[in-house]
Amino acid sequence: MARSRTIVNRLALALAGTALIAVATTVLLLRTRWASHSPDALVTPTHLTALREKAWWTPTAMTASIAATALFATWCVRQIGDGRRRSTPLPVPRSALRTRALEDAVAVRAGTTEGIDRCSARVRARRGRLDVLLRVRLRADTAPAAVLPALTAVASDTRATARPHECTVRVHFGIPGHRASRLRQGPIGDTKPPNS
């Protein structure tokens, strides 16, 4: 997907550059012809009025503008996409690993571990590589060390599932009731509230 997007981007850039060069060349060549009629303007008001009176001009200009706008908008939406590949190919012919299915399986398996309140997974697939991010919310009475062996087993199974792709598994722990945005950076022992 990333390779095809790069090819499309380069092709679109080449076509846009070619079109701009063609338009600039045409304008320069025609300007010398039109200079004898009006040296100050490329298109005179009378010429523009005559062009607008032709039956084909308005529909052609509108259609070309709408088509160019729709094409540009579609291209922009595809570029702004979340950048996640929906699937990644496997070595078996005509087979692929759906990243959403892997996210669900990893989250469900990790979520069944004793001491974990909630778990979500996010998989980013790149060429020959998978990055898995596990967000684990622990119960208030559970230490990370208690669930680490089970999560290590989940990570090992995830790497085995992703073969032959390289797979990196990262775990972020969270504890209910402790939000980083409420913590104040300061020296140890400083107990002043953040707003004082």
Side-chain angles (χ1 to χ4, degrees), residues 155-174:
S156 297
D157 290 344
T158 304
R159 286 188 197 99
T161 302
R163 280 194 191 112
H165 302 293
E166 183 183 334
C167 182
T168 304
V169 179
R170 292 180 297 142
V171 178
H172 286 197
F173 289 102

Side-chain angles (χ1 to χ4, degrees), residues 64-125:
S65 298
I66 291 170
T69 302
L71 183 65
F72 182 69
T74 303
W75 179 74
C76 284
V77 167
R78 289 185 59 90
Q79 295 303 309
I80 296 172
D82 62 0
R84 294 172 59 199
R85 297 175 79 171
R86 304 296 180 226
S87 64
T88 187
L90 292 174
V92 179
R94 294 176 32 188
S95 65
L97 174 65
R98 286 183 39 234
T99 55
R100 182 67 186 161
L102 182 61
E103 287 174 355
D104 292 342
V106 170
V108 167
R109 171 123 186 256
T112 59
T113 304
E114 186 65 33
I116 292 180
D117 184 35
R118 189 172 42 200
C119 181
S120 66
R122 176 108 173 172
V123 176
R124 292 187 62 91

Side-chain angles (χ1 to χ4, degrees), residues 9-196:
N9 285 346
R10 289 181 180 173
L11 183 62
L13 185 62
L15 290 175
T18 304
L20 286 173
I21 289 172
V23 167
T25 305
T26 304
V27 166
L28 287 174
L29 292 175
L30 291 178
R31 181 159 176 86
T32 57
R33 270 188 33 202
W34 290 341
S36 60
H37 299 293
S38 175
D40 296 330
L42 184 61
V43 179
T44 63
T46 55
H47 184 4
L48 189 58
T49 303
L51 194 60
R52 287 181 180 159
E53 288 174 354
K54 295 186 179 179
W56 59 268
W57 171 254
T58 303
T60 302
M62 291 296 290
T63 303
S65 298
I66 291 170
T69 302
L71 183 65
F72 182 69
T74 303
W75 179 74
C76 284
V77 167
R78 289 185 59 90
Q79 295 303 309
I80 296 172
D82 62 0
R84 294 172 59 199
R85 297 175 79 171
R86 304 296 180 226
S87 64
T88 187
L90 292 174
V92 179
R94 294 176 32 188
S95 65
L97 174 65
R98 286 183 39 234
T99 55
R100 182 67 186 161
L102 182 61
E103 287 174 355
D104 292 342
V106 170
V108 167
R109 171 123 186 256
T112 59
T113 304
E114 186 65 33
I116 292 180
D117 184 35
R118 189 172 42 200
C119 181
S120 66
R122 176 108 173 172
V123 176
R124 292 187 62 91
R126 299 181 188 143
R127 188 181 305 169
R129 174 186 178 96
L130 293 174
D131 293 323
V132 180
L133 173 63
L134 274 174
R135 292 191 182 275
V136 176
R137 184 172 176 179
L138 299 174
R139 294 187 187 134
D141 59 341
T142 305
V147 298
L148 210 49
L151 293 179
T152 302
V154 170
S156 297
D157 290 344
T158 304
R159 286 188 197 99
T161 302
R163 280 194 191 112
H165 302 293
E166 183 183 334
C167 182
T168 304
V169 179
R170 292 180 297 142
V171 178
H172 286 197
F173 289 102
I175 299 171
H178 291 81
R179 293 190 179 179
S181 60
R182 293 187 180 182
L183 296 179
R184 181 171 182 260
Q185 295 291 332
I188 296 174
D190 187 2
T191 57
K192 293 180 183 176
N195 294 330
S196 61

